[in-house]
């Protein structure tokens, strides 16, 4: 991946990568961690996946948070907060999206319990801005038990369906396409790849969880905790 | 905080490596054999509704099998399967702790009345609990709603499923957690 090559050259240029490598501590248990990563390599190597994965730089993009009215950039958290990113839409049938949101929401709850909510952020991106208005997202947050008052949860809502579709393809290699509703009651649906990304405060992807709905919640929260408290 | 400052300087990177080693050493114990590990119980508040009461419940139960239905008042398929849960409860309600759990913020964004009204409307007649911190959902790794778990008397999950089910499927699933 370009991103990775870029990162390597960047690391070589600054000496950061080499310093991590020669520190040796990460290698004690046979792991050699990626430059800038807190966690060791994941059990499942996803480096060939189209989406960003372990050790990659998180793509940088800016999208409005319709509830707070802010423009939120994935880059603004650098040096400040680790975050969990996913994509969803509120009309998602069969509970896939509630399962993704549950994973972020549980991490949000855990962060609050641990007292580090101000070092974490949660960035679920909707690719259905047409239906996912500020009002719809606010109601959804209430249903899903999300704490909007914590100040660390930002729903990201692209300006248009086309903008969201482009964002998903350009940054994550994921194709978004409206399909006929068939058996579902909603007007239209999106075949949806339930990806969750855990990104450290340096903007490096620590984990990509591809099967979002099956992702073990406690393992995810544990990874998140290790990244934040490292 | 400390790490943030350290990261700003190249000289500090050794400290990052150290932190990584500590984290990597914290490996969870490998599960032995095929038997699942017992689930650590969580105590939840219960909701005053038909068949339920205002109080607390510890899930899974420590001394008998438990059947947990994860539902939510916004979940349409959860409504569809209520008649089958009612029937399964009629048949096995005496043999397990039979409970429905919502992950909603009951008492916050969602009032207790909303849950009780939903419950009454759909003929629920057993214990309803609120998992407001999603801790139980996390321990039982819920993926979507509805989901169900049948847990044996030793706290081990014997049946884990998501989506709607028939009465027969519920009964069969729950029976896997009995006599263990």
């Amino acid at each position: 991946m370009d991103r990775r090559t870029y990162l390597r050259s960047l690391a070589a240029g600054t000496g950061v990568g080499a310093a991590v490598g020669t520190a040796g501590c990460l290698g004690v248990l046979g792991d050699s961690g990626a430059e800038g990563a807190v966690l060791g390599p994941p059990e499942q190597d996803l480096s060939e996946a189209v989406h960003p994965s372990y050790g990659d730089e998180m793509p940088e993009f800016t999208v409005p948070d319709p509830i707070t009215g802010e423009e939120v950039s994935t880059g603004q958290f650098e040096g400040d907060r680790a975050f969990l990113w996913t994509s969803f839409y509120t009309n998602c049938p069969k509970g896939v999206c509630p399962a993704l949101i549950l994973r972020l929401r549980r991490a949000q709850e855990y962060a609050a319990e641990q007292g580090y909510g101000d070092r974490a952020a949660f960035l679920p991106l909707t690719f259905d801005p047409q239906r996912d208005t500020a009002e719809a997202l606010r109601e959804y947050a209430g249903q899903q038990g999300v704490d909007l008052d914590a100040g660390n949860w930002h729903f990201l809502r692209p300006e248009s369906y086309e903008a969201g579709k482009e964002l998903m393809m350009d940054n994550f290699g994921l194709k978004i396409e409206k399909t006929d509703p068939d058996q579902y009651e909603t007007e239209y649906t999106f075949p949806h790849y339930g990806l969750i990304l855990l990104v450290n405060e340096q903007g490096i992807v620590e984990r990509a969880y591809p099967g979002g709905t099956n992702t073990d919640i406690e393992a995810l929260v544990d990874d998140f905790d290790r990244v934040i408290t490292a | 905080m400390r790490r943030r400052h350290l990261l700003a300087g190249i000289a500090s990177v050794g400290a990052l490596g150290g932190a990584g080693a500590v984290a990597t050493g914290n490996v969870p114990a490998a599960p032995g054999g095929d038997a699942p590990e017992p689930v650590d119980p969580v105590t939840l508040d219960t909701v005053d509704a038909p068949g339920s009461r205002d109080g607390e419940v510890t899930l899974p139960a420590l001394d008998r099998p438990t059947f947990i239905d994860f539902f939510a008042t916004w979940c349409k398929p959860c409504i569809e399967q209520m008649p089958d849960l009612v029937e399964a409860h009629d048949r096995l309600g005496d043999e397990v702790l039979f409970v429905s759990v919502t992950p909603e913020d009951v008492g916050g964004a969602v009032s207790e009345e909303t849950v009780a009204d939903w419950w009454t409307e759909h003929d629920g007649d057993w214990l309803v609990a609120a998992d407001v911190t999603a801790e139980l959902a996390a321990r039982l790794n819920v993926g979507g709603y509805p989901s169900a778990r049948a847990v044996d008397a030793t706290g081990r999950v014997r049946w884990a499923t998501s989506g709607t089910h028939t009465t027969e499927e519920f009964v069969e699933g729950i029976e896997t957690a009995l006599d263990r």
Side-chain angles (χ1 to χ4, degrees):
Chain A
M1 265 189 144
D2 296 347
R3 208 180 281 119
R4 178 162 292 195
T5 315
Y6 166 75
L7 192 62
R8 282 217 186 92
S9 56
L10 182 75
T14 58
V16 172
V20 172
T22 52
C25 303
L26 283 168
V28 167
L29 297 175
D31 291 329
S32 56
E35 301 92 336
V38 171
L39 303 180
E43 272 176 40
Q44 189 189 358
D45 180 8
L46 295 169
S47 56
E48 296 302 314
V50 293
H51 58 75
S53 59
Y54 177 69
D56 290 338
E57 264 192 2
M58 177 67 182
E60 191 165 341
F61 51 85
T62 303
V63 183
D65 172 344
I67 293 177
T68 64
E70 295 166 72
E71 294 278 325
V72 175
S73 162
T74 50
Q76 78 186 57
F77 302 104
E78 203 163 318
D80 197 24
R81 295 173 190 251
F83 63 85
L84 285 164
W85 173 92
T86 193
S87 63
F88 80 109
Y89 62 114
T90 64
N91 282 271
C92 184
K94 294 192 126 184
V96 171
C97 300
L100 296 171
I101 298 296
L102 171 66
R103 280 150 180 79
L104 268 61
R105 174 249 173 140
R106 176 59 196 159
Q108 184 191 35
E109 180 71 36
Y110 190 79
E113 285 170 11
Q114 299 299 312
Y116 55 61
D118 61 348
R119 293 171 57 199
F122 305 92
L123 310 176
L125 175 111
T126 173
F127 40 79
D128 188 12
Q130 191 183 333
R131 289 180 293 189
D132 290 346
T133 59
E135 199 47 48
L137 291 167
R138 195 185 293 278
E139 185 188 342
Y140 191 70
Q143 290 176 345
Q144 304 297 328
V146 167
D147 183 3
L148 290 176
D149 297 331
N152 56 15
W153 187 285
H154 297 284
F155 283 115
L156 305 182
R157 177 175 176 263
E159 304 281 3
S160 66
Y161 167 63
E162 289 303 324
K165 187 175 168 172
E166 199 178 304
L167 187 158
M168 290 294 288
M169 178 52 88
D170 290 354
N171 295 287
F172 301 99
L174 301 179
K175 190 171 182 173
I176 299 298
E177 205 164 30
K178 282 184 189 177
T179 60
D180 291 333
D182 320 318
Q183 70 265 43
Y184 305 122
E185 289 171 32
T186 56
E187 295 166 61
Y188 52 87
T189 61
F190 302 93
H192 182 203
Y193 187 74
L195 178 69
I196 299 174
L197 296 178
L198 167 60
V199 180
N200 70 23
E201 64 177 39
Q202 285 181 282
I204 303 296
V205 175
E206 293 277 2
R207 282 289 182 271
Y209 308 97
T213 58
N214 295 318
T215 299
D216 188 275
I217 303 176
E218 293 203 308
L220 181 148
V221 171
D222 185 51
D223 290 343
F224 170 78
D225 181 66
R226 283 162 59 191
V227 166
I228 289 213
T229 58
Chain B
M1 299 296 173
R2 190 171 57 92
R3 182 174 152 251
R4 203 174 298 160
H5 294 137
L6 290 173
L7 284 174
I10 291 162
S12 64
V13 178
L16 171 65
V22 171
T24 318
N26 190 16
V27 177
D34 293 330
E37 291 297 302
V39 175
D40 275 340
V42 179
T43 299
L44 304 180
D45 285 340
T46 52
V47 177
D48 188 10
S52 185
R53 50 169 172 78
D54 190 9
E56 288 186 344
V57 64
T58 296
L59 299 172
L62 304 170
D63 55 349
R64 57 180 169 140
T66 305
F67 171 71
I68 303 168
D69 154 55
F70 285 95
F71 80 108
T73 61
W74 45 260
C75 159
K76 285 185 188 165
C78 298
I79 296 174
E80 288 164 26
Q81 69 166 9
M82 277 301 280
D84 293 296
L85 282 173
V86 169
E87 178 68 24
H89 175 254
D90 284 347
R91 286 162 64 175
L92 291 171
D94 290 339
E95 301 190 47
V96 293
L97 172 60
F98 199 104
V99 57
S100 286
V101 173
T102 172
E104 291 166 279
D105 184 15
V106 178
V110 175
S111 71
E112 200 163 331
E113 290 70 34
T114 302
V115 177
D117 289 350
W118 190 95
W119 197 243
T120 305
E121 189 181 338
H122 302 297
D123 301 319
D125 189 24
W126 57 88
L127 204 57
V128 190
D131 186 22
V132 296
T133 67
E135 189 172 7
L136 186 66
R139 295 217 178 147
L140 293 171
N141 204 36
V142 171
Y145 304 90
S147 282
R149 301 288 184 270
V151 186
D152 70 21
T154 69
R156 290 172 168 84
V157 176
R158 294 297 172 181
W159 187 54
T161 186
S162 63
T164 58
H165 292 286
T166 62
T167 303
E168 287 309 319
E169 288 167 344
F170 280 126
V171 167
E172 267 182 45
I174 294 167
E175 281 176 343
T176 62
L178 305 177
D179 306 323
R180 295 266 184 177

